[in-house]
Amino acid sequence: GAGVSQTPSNKVTEKGKYVELRCDPISGHTALYWYRQSLGQGPEFLIYFQGTGAADDSGLPNDRFFAVRPEGSVSTLKIQRTERGDSAVYLCASSLETGLAGATQYFGPGTRLTVL
Amino acid sequence: AQKITQTQPGMFVQEKEAVTLDCTYDTSDPSYGLFWYKQPSSGEMIFLIYQGSYDQQNATEGRYSLNFQKARKSANLVISASQLGDSAMYFCDIETQTPTFGTGTSLTVIP
């Protein structure tokens, strides 16, 4: 079956603009995660959803970042008033269920965001 | 709070040899999971192996095994019979309520 997909693969925007990044998880996966990965670093947790609700958004850096998953499938990460420091690869992952033994995550290819 | 430490920024191994990638962790939660992921230059993260904190035996998945030493809070990844395609970044991840990744180790397999 299809893996996790993310669109766009690359996004270049200007400082102060609004961007939306989309994630389409593996069908049937109830958990969905967003990460940010800067050059030379590991993925940094942002938020995860269990179904439609944000189960933990403790990793969102500030209120310019927001994510939704209205129907429990596709998710959109929204960044307002982008700053140059937001430039990174944004990764999405999904897993079949939460709970440690079932939490193996399947990652998408990422969206490379560049803020000029 | 939880923390993952990967102290080897870069490692080299001869093809067909075994290599150990180090990972130490810190958490106050008695229940946690430890994961290893591979990230080739293409960028996509690939799951390799999982170890639960209550698992008695070390996890193995093909050429990958996890040397889990709970008292020392270490979860080293052992790759046996290295192949050229193993060249990549490797990340250790601990999960309690949320995931925390280390900074990664770059592995280069030399022919």
Side-chain angles (χ1 to χ4, degrees):
Chain A
V4 178
S5 62
Q6 292 186 248
T7 55
S9 55
N10 279 283
K11 176 71 176 178
V12 180
T13 190
E14 293 180 342
K15 181 175 178 295
K17 299 289 188 182
Y18 168 83
V19 296
E20 289 190 352
L21 311 179
R22 176 188 166 110
C23 173
D24 208 330
I26 292 172
S27 178
H29 279 196
T30 58
L32 185 147
Y33 302 76
W34 282 101
Y35 297 88
R36 177 169 67 178
Q37 187 174 23
S38 301
L39 196 63
Q41 300 295 316
E44 174 194 4
F45 168 77
L46 297 177
I47 184 172
Y48 98 87
F49 290 87
Q50 176 60 27
T52 60
D56 194 310
D57 64 357
S58 61
L60 294 176
N62 52 58
D63 61 5
R64 295 187 298 106
F65 288 75
F66 189 70
V68 296
R69 194 185 185 200
E71 297 178 359
S73 178
V74 171
S75 176
T76 304
L77 178 66
K78 308 180 180 192
I79 310 174
Q80 298 177 320
R81 304 183 304 279
T82 51
E83 299 177 357
R84 292 193 180 89
D86 298 335
S87 296
V89 175
Y90 289 81
L91 296 170
C92 175
S94 69
S95 65
L96 190 58
E97 57 188 74
T98 53
L100 297 174
T104 299
Q105 294 178 52
Y106 298 87
F107 282 78
T111 293
R112 182 175 299 279
L113 175 66
T114 304
V115 182
L116 301 176
Chain B
Q2 57 203 28
K3 186 178 178 182
I4 283 278
T5 303
Q6 294 182 255
T7 57
Q8 306 155 312
M11 290 283 286
F12 292 86
V13 64
Q14 203 74 38
E15 194 178 6
K16 299 180 185 176
E17 298 293 312
V19 63
T20 298
L21 306 184
D22 294 343
C23 172
T24 58
Y25 61 91
D26 192 21
T27 180
S28 56
D29 198 317
S31 179
Y32 52 88
L34 293 156
F35 299 77
W36 276 92
Y37 291 86
K38 171 184 178 181
Q39 188 175 42
S41 56
S42 59
E44 196 154 340
M45 297 280 284
I46 302 165
F47 165 75
L48 297 177
I49 195 166
Y50 162 81
Q51 179 85 43
S53 59
Y54 295 117
D55 292 344
Q56 296 296 316
Q57 294 194 332
N58 287 345
T60 60
E61 289 284 350
R63 295 186 299 110
Y64 304 108
S65 61
L66 204 151
N67 183 1
F68 181 46
Q69 298 188 44
K70 194 170 182 178
R72 298 179 64 181
K73 294 190 174 180
S74 75
N76 299 338
L77 176 71
V78 180
I79 306 174
S80 62
S82 297
Q83 302 172 357
L84 295 178
D86 293 336
S87 294
M89 286 291 295
Y90 288 80
F91 292 97
C92 183
D93 159 40
I94 184 171
E95 299 195 14
T96 55
Q97 303 304 315
T98 58
T100 300
F101 284 77
T103 53
T105 294
S106 175
L107 177 67
T108 302
V109 180
I110 304 166

